[in-house]
Amino acid sequence: MANSDATSNDPVTVQPTALVTGASRGLGAAIARELAPTHRLLLGARTSQALEPILSELPGATGFPVELTDYEAVARAVEPVERLDVLVHNAGVADLGTIADSSVAQWRNTLEANLIAVAELTRLLLPALRAANGHVVLINSGAGLRANAGWGVYAASKFGLRAFADALRSEETGLRVTSIHPGRIDTDMQREIVAGEGRDYRPRDFLAASTVARAVRNAVETPRDAHPTEIVLRPIPR
Ligand SMILES: NC(=O)c1ccc[n+]([C@@H]2O[C@H](COP(=O)([O-])OP(=O)(O)OC[C@H]3O[C@@H](n4cnc5c(N)ncnc54)[C@H](OP(=O)(O)O)[C@@H]3O)[C@@H](O)[C@H]2O)c1
């Protein structure tokens, strides 16, 4: 009779590890849901409290609560991470307005959250990423390809993020580095942007967060003979 316990001699399969920043809500939570079946997840947000709903929904995941612009706290948070297969830089802020109305604080806060914090988290995790020949996915934006009126500060941070990705790809040849440029996505951030524009919010005008999350999975699952460098997604209003 055939052995009914077919798995008893199989090697133990260890799931790859993925860290997703900004996973408490919006696109980051959708990326966490998308990767949960296949990855050991570390999920980031500013506080443990913000992470409670997504961690209850995905009980196998571990919280990574840290303010990403507090670089001493970030260094402490990454200490236990020795090997990292996937790093998704999703956390970000959008503070819109014209250049005429902008302030130094707005420029500093936006560049700090969307660019400098990404650079520092990546730098601190390079040994762990190299150990896994890992994949860095940067959630950029359509605003990282075109800078329109009223979007200058945010666009500058996302153009900078694109430059960071390109330099990282050239320097760290053992890693894969993908910039994803979605158009407007149905999230809290988009609700605030549309409210600021004084328009009614119609979720169906925007990309579903789950669709952009699927693009992250596709990038990560691309066979190793290809390097997905840029992915651009524009919404089709339904
Ligand atoms: N929504 C869009 O239309 C759109 C379009 C293109 C690209 N994007 C990009 O997609 C990404 C996600 O956007 P979203 O719409 O999902 O945003 P969201 O709904 O505003 O969520 C932002 C997430 O980032 C986290 N976060 C922000 N600043 C942080 C910091 N300094 N330290 C730690 N965590 C921080 C927030 O954590 P807390 O919960 O703790 O605040 C939250 O989890 C951003 O990079 C954004 O630029 C968005």
Side-chain angles (χ1 to χ4, degrees), residues 53-230:
I54 191 73
L55 290 177
S56 322
E57 188 185 329
L58 305 174
T62 303
F64 184 82
V66 67
E67 164 54 61
L68 291 169
T69 62
D70 177 347
Y71 302 116
E72 286 178 10
V74 174
R76 284 194 299 277
V78 301
E79 252 169 36
V81 185
E82 290 178 351
R83 189 187 158 88
L84 188 62
D85 299 275
V86 178
L87 170 58
V88 184
H89 288 291
N90 166 78
V93 296
D95 187 1
L96 306 187
T98 61
I99 290 167
D101 289 335
S102 67
S103 65
V104 170
Q106 183 186 1
W107 280 98
R108 282 206 174 120
N109 293 341
T110 304
L111 291 170
E112 185 95 45
N114 291 0
L115 182 56
I116 299 172
V118 170
E120 182 60 0
L121 180 61
T122 308
R123 189 188 71 79
L124 289 167
L125 284 169
L126 273 180
L129 286 162
R130 288 176 184 146
N133 288 325
H135 197 147
V136 180
V137 178
L138 299 111
I139 303 300
N140 202 299
S141 169
L145 301 171
R146 294 167 303 281
N148 293 325
W151 291 72
V153 179
Y154 179 73
S157 73
K158 294 296 193 180
F159 269 66
L161 191 63
R162 164 83 186 276
F164 171 78
D166 290 351
L168 183 68
R169 191 180 303 113
S170 301
E171 291 174 10
E172 297 291 330
T173 50
L175 307 185
R176 295 199 290 182
V177 180
T178 303
S179 287
I180 300 195
H181 296 267
R184 293 176 182 235
I185 312 166
D186 173 23
T187 66
D188 292 350
M189 178 186 281
Q190 191 54 238
R191 280 182 190 276
E192 277 177 35
I193 291 170
V194 171
E197 292 167 337
R199 296 191 290 122
D200 288 339
Y201 192 82
R202 282 206 336 136
R204 292 167 66 82
D205 286 346
F206 309 117
L207 289 160
S210 57
T211 302
V212 183
R214 183 88 69 84
V216 173
R217 168 176 289 289
N218 289 343
V220 167
E221 289 186 343
T222 302
R224 298 289 313 188
D225 63 314
H227 196 144
T229 55
E230 285 100 30

